Amino acid sequence: MSAASGRSPLLTLDTLVRLRRGQGGAQAPEPPHRLTVPDGMTAPLGCDAVSVPARLGPLLMPRLPRVGCVYADETRWWWLVPADSDYALEWPAPAHYATGALLADSPRLPGLVHRPDGTLPYTPPIPLYLALCRLTGTTPTWSRAISA
């Protein structure tokens, strides 16, 4: 309070910004990482990614008729799929669908563990979806009963 006026001093936006900076304000969060298509490959349909816990990765690989680019780290495996492969599908838990192949919760980019022959990086989404449903005991979306 000011002794002369009996009021608190007025804080402006500039003052608040200076105070925050003086406190060593929190660093801006790091932007999310994006899985990239390896050199020599093209993604004409855009790219999204489907991730699963690392324990499921090796179980999915032999169940797929074609495996595109697969990335992995200690905790998760990611499959590149064409953009909008989540349309009308509910990917079964614990899978996570990453639009734009953005990895918001990953502290660093995972390594490429599988690269297909040819120039397309995609794993076909329907076989991947069905294999995930099978491994997780989930009924595919189109097979579920509809309630009125």
Side-chain angles (χ1 to χ4, degrees), residues 17-116:
V17 168
R18 274 197 310 277
L19 287 171
R20 179 71 177 155
R21 286 184 183 155
Q23 293 175 344
Q27 296 290 330
E30 202 172 304
H33 298 288
R34 181 185 306 269
L35 293 175
T36 57
V37 174
D39 289 339
M41 299 190 98
T42 61
L45 303 175
C47 273
D48 289 346
V50 176
S51 76
V52 298
R55 65 181 166 76
L56 295 178
L59 301 174
L60 281 169
M61 294 290 276
R63 294 174 181 252
L64 299 171
R66 180 185 190 285
V67 178
C69 289
V70 181
Y71 299 82
D73 63 20
E74 307 80 39
T75 60
R76 299 200 68 82
W77 284 40
W78 291 264
W79 277 261
L80 288 185
V81 294
D84 299 323
S85 292
D86 61 336
Y87 181 76
L89 288 179
E90 293 174 31
W91 288 84
H96 173 71
Y97 191 86
T99 302
L102 287 172
L103 312 180
D105 297 333
S106 184
R108 60 184 174 82
L109 276 173
L112 181 66
V113 295
H114 183 268
R115 178 187 172 139

Side-chain angles (χ1 to χ4, degrees), residues 90-94 129-130 132-141 144:
E90 293 174 31
W91 288 84
Y129 174 80
L130 291 172
L132 276 168
C133 285
R134 181 82 175 219
L135 281 176
T136 60
T138 304
T139 302
T141 304
R144 295 181 192 154

